[in-house]
Amino acid sequence: MISAALQRIAPSRTTAMTDRAIELRAAGRDIISLSVGEPDFATPAHVIEAAKAALDAGETRYTQVPGTLALREAAALHFSRDLGIAVPPGQVIVSAGGKQAIFHALLATLNPGDAVLVPSPWWVSYPEIVRFAGAEVVDLPTTATSGFRITPEQLDAAITPHCRWLLLNSPGNPTGATYPAAELRALGEVLRRQPQVMVLSDDIYAPLRYTPGAHATLAVECPDLADRILTVSGVSKSHAMTGFRIGVAAGPQWLISAMGRLQSHSSGNAASISQAAAVAAFSGPQDFLEDWRERFRVRRDSVVAAINAVPGLSCPVPDGAFYCMVDAAPLMDRFGDDEALCLHLLEHGVAVVAASAFGGAAGFRISFAADDAKLAEALRRIAAALA
């Protein structure tokens, strides 16, 4: 019999759409998938060589549950160099992907009756993890007009004594929205008055920003709140290492220890070979990222221009990540809802994910982490399908 906890959650709709695209391709259909958040670039050569070297050296045994010291030191370097967060390796935990770090943090701290503040549109797994833990999701809706960012006033009005976490994702999935430093400091002013609220800062897309200046994160902008901030990062998006399944998180010692206790009974350590590869990713050359960012920027601009040229569709320019959140509200009289619209596009050979999967409505998310030719053809098909 399925547990009550599992009955509270739904399968990932981004994964479901990707799986459906794969099934249709296997059946002989020509489907271009813009549904998955996975860079199409090759994993950097020095990372692959590090994985091979670890295999040749026989590094195929258990590691410490929170990760090898070498990787926690490399992750600490990443947090300092790329995010501006000074953290000792002892306050870093390595997980099997950033999703696991988020899952463990929330499961280790939430009780039935607690509440978690989640800005929407949200990453699909946020509300499901909260519900699995038995807590309530408090939706903080945002729009393109607000830059897909919550305001201090909105946050202040939503907090109750039952709130235990605020989830912040910058740059965000599915919107690509990024919080500037001044806005983070303003949110910090609200949080200072609410000591029961912790913050999970998901900065996995920080290396893939297109706005000038340094990346801003709450632990840096509000250092006095650092003892209740967990910052999550990884190598999946920045180094095209989705299959390696390595996430890292930095935060207060008590929370990192609690996550480690839970991880010791779930996955144990992350894969040893993947950890060796991630050491090279964090501590090795980073210059390739400049080229990747520029290529993503060109794709972003072409997608935004093509979408805004289709009657009934509109799309703001995202600040980071590799997603565009498309508004299709004028087409809802024709299709009824965004799920029907996405199925219509799938019949025309393009897989995208409905905005309702992210807590939004009347639109869809496009991932532009696809090669240029496929992206151009997908955009042509979308325009033709809606003509």
Side-chain angles (χ1 to χ4, degrees), residues 29-45:
R29 295 283 302 280
D30 178 18
I31 304 293
I32 299 174
S33 179
L34 303 183
S35 60
V36 65
E38 182 173 54
D40 61 305
F41 303 138
T43 306

Side-chain angles (χ1 to χ4, degrees), residues 282-300:
F282 282 139
S283 61
Q286 308 294 311
D287 53 338
F288 66 91
L289 277 168
E290 185 175 350
D291 174 62
W292 286 15
R293 276 191 295 267
E294 184 55 32
R295 292 165 69 181
F296 275 137
R297 187 199 306 273
V298 171
R299 293 178 185 180
R300 176 201 67 173

Side-chain angles (χ1 to χ4, degrees), residues 258-271:
M259 293 166 64
R261 189 193 316 175
L262 181 56
Q263 186 164 301
S264 73
H265 293 293
S266 58
S267 64
N269 62 271

Side-chain angles (χ1 to χ4, degrees), residues 31-73:
I31 304 293
I32 299 174
S33 179
L34 303 183
S35 60
V36 65
E38 182 173 54
D40 61 305
F41 303 138
T43 306
H46 67 279
V47 173
I48 298 297
E49 290 305 314
K52 291 178 181 177
L55 281 168
D56 291 340
E59 296 178 17
T60 56
R61 308 295 184 185
Y62 291 130
T63 74
Q64 292 174 285
V65 168
T68 64
L69 178 58
L71 180 49
R72 284 180 285 138
E73 288 176 339

Side-chain angles (χ1 to χ4, degrees), residues 208-281:
L208 299 175
R209 292 170 53 259
Y210 314 114
T211 52
H215 174 69
T217 191
L218 193 66
V220 173
E221 299 306 323
C222 302
D224 59 305
L225 301 178
D227 61 346
R228 49 188 172 113
I229 298 172
L230 181 74
T231 304
V232 177
S233 189
V235 292
S236 291
K237 314 299 183 179
S238 58
H239 290 71
M241 294 174 64
T242 51
F244 285 80
R245 306 312 304 133
I246 292 291
V248 293
Q253 184 63 66
W254 70 267
L255 178 57
I256 297 299
S257 297
M259 293 166 64
R261 189 193 316 175
L262 181 56
Q263 186 164 301
S264 73
H265 293 293
S266 58
S267 64
N269 62 271
S272 58
I273 302 305
S274 295
Q275 290 192 61
V279 171

